[in-house]
Amino acid sequence: MNILVTGGAGYKGVLLSYELLKLGHNVTIMDNFMYGYEPVLFLMQYPNLNILKKDIRNVEESDLSKQDVIYHLAGISGYPACEANPHSAQLINVEATKRFCTMLGREQIVIYASTTSFYGKSGNLCTEDTPIEPVSLYGITKYEAEKFIMLREHSVALRFATVFGVSPKMRTDLLVNDFTYKAVNDRCIVLFENTSKRTFIHICDAVRAYLFVLDHYPSMKGNVFNVGDNSLNFTKQEISEAISKVTGCTIIDSSLDDFDVRNFEVSFDKIKSLGYGVEKTLDYGIQEMVRLYGFYKPFLAYRTI
Ligand SMILES: NC(=O)c1ccc[n+]([C@@H]2O[C@H](COP(=O)([O-])OP(=O)(O)OC[C@H]3O[C@@H](n4cnc5c(N)ncnc54)[C@H](O)[C@@H]3O)[C@@H](O)[C@H]2O)c1
């Protein structure tokens, strides 16, 4: 198949592109490479790869017309990045997404990288039918885009749990990755609102979910799915304790409020009923990142040479 991966140079996109290339698909990565080119260098060995260095705000019909499937991952990802770039978040996450959707033919399939983040601060168990109440610009923009995409007949939205684990384009801002980084480097984790609950998934399982759609498309078409596992709903306290068990770090409870007020639990029964399940545990991801952070210093690496 001809497959376009927008945001294919990103944390999830690069590993998704790798798996699609290994399966023999003709893969086009469309990305503006705002985080650099290094993540995709190892993919150059694949002759079935095409790179389109482009901002999705400038997409043209000719970029899309030959594609059977579009995995749409490009965007300003995460709460802090959207707060720092509110205008771009609206233009990229919402307007550019709507614009490229209107250029697609009816039969072209869009698989959207949506998020559980917009379940907000209900504190309750959320299914795909739970009313949405985003509490951040990130959640608002992602939900607006999802609603538009799901007006199409041939679309699937995957509402991912917060991802953890290692990728060639690393994200240390994601909660488990961030806490593990602090545990290894600062020897302590400072917790705000330690009882807040969130849901998590290892990056390999996230990529497996994207591939799962290709194999189960008839039963997923036109639907929204939470992607994760019921066993991976944790409070921040539980995450910190799991990290402390491996690293021996101290956990400090702060009485201050967190700016990020998300607090929810998610049910993943819908995608599980189709046969999808995760393979990696939280402990697996923590061990993996402890190995990484033993040598990897994301910001200093560029300054000290
Ligand atoms: N990582 C998570 O925990 C998580 C959870 C749920 C949903 N998602 C969604 O999955 C998608 C990918 O997330 P990620 O963690 O890989 O993020 P990322 O920031 O690592 O990747 C995003 C990619 O999009 C590219 N990009 C940004 N703006 C662009 C533009 N205007 N034109 C072209 N390319 C552009 C960036 O260069 C980057 O390569 C995002 O849409 C995000 O909202 C991520």
Side-chain angles (χ1 to χ4, degrees), residues 7 37 84-86 107 116 126 131-132 137 160 171 174 181 209 253 269 273 276 279 293 298:
Y37 302 101
N85 307 282
E107 299 293 325
T116 52
C126 301
I132 301 301
L137 180 62
F160 284 96
R171 279 189 65 183
L174 298 164
Y181 184 77
D253 279 326
D269 291 348
S273 72
Y276 173 81
E279 291 178 352
Y293 292 143

Side-chain angles (χ1 to χ4, degrees), residues 6-14 30-36 54-57 72-78 92-93 96 112-117 138 142 158-164 169-171 174 201 203 210:
T6 75
Y11 176 63
K12 277 194 290 168
V14 70
M30 186 195 291
D31 204 294
N32 61 3
F33 294 94
M34 62 195 278
Y35 302 112
K54 191 159 205 166
D55 194 298
I56 56 158
R57 286 170 285 191
H72 182 40
L73 281 69
I76 306 296
S77 182
I92 296 168
N93 294 3
Y112 178 53
S114 194
T115 175
T116 52
S117 282
Y138 175 59
K142 292 298 287 184
L158 300 178
R159 292 180 181 168
F160 284 96
T162 299
V163 182
F164 60 90
K169 188 272 174 178
M170 197 49 199
R171 279 189 65 183
L174 298 164
I201 184 170
I203 190 158
Y210 282 120

Side-chain angles (χ1 to χ4, degrees), residues 163-164 170-186 188-190 243 289 293:
V163 182
F164 60 90
M170 197 49 199
R171 279 189 65 183
T172 41
D173 59 309
L174 298 164
L175 193 140
V176 180
N177 299 5
D178 175 46
F179 280 14
T180 311
Y181 184 77
K182 286 174 177 147
V184 171
N185 287 284
D186 304 343
C188 78
I189 299 170
V190 180
I243 295 170
M289 280 181 291
Y293 292 143

